[in-house]
Amino acid sequence: ASFVRNREVPEVRDSNHVTRITASSPAEINRLFARVEGEFADAPHRAYHIYSDTPPEIEARLALEGYERILGFEVHLHDG
């Protein structure tokens, strides 16, 4: 996965998201989600860019955790 970060504007989703995700095993997905929490600890959201080649296991995990699809390829979880 690639992590896009701009710590000067943590609230801007296009500047703070995960993209090109390849994790598919449960262990890889758990490591990815743990890293996301560390990388984006100061951001009020978690954003993942999902493409046709994103493993379906990622989409399933995001759905289970309450993420919502926005703009057809992004999924977000908002605080509050």
Side-chain angles (χ1 to χ4, degrees):
S2 296
F3 289 77
V4 177
R5 287 292 284 137
N6 184 338
R7 296 182 195 284
E8 293 180 18
V9 288
E11 70 282 354
V12 178
R13 289 179 188 90
D14 284 342
S15 297
N16 298 281
H17 63 273
V18 184
T19 188
R20 299 297 174 201
I21 302 165
T22 59
S24 60
S25 75
E28 291 172 329
I29 293 169
N30 287 339
R31 282 193 300 272
L32 172 68
F33 275 70
R35 182 169 174 207
V36 166
E37 289 307 310
E39 291 284 339
F40 299 104
D42 63 335
H45 66 276
R46 304 293 178 265
Y48 297 79
H49 286 203
I50 302 300
Y51 300 95
S52 61
D53 61 347
T54 301
E57 295 87 353
I58 291 292
E59 291 191 72
R61 173 76 175 263
L62 292 168
L64 284 172
E65 295 205 10
Y67 284 78
E68 61 185 40
R69 186 175 287 273
I70 298 174
L71 302 175
F73 69 96
E74 295 180 44
V75 285
H76 299 273
L77 182 66
H78 305 273
D79 285 343

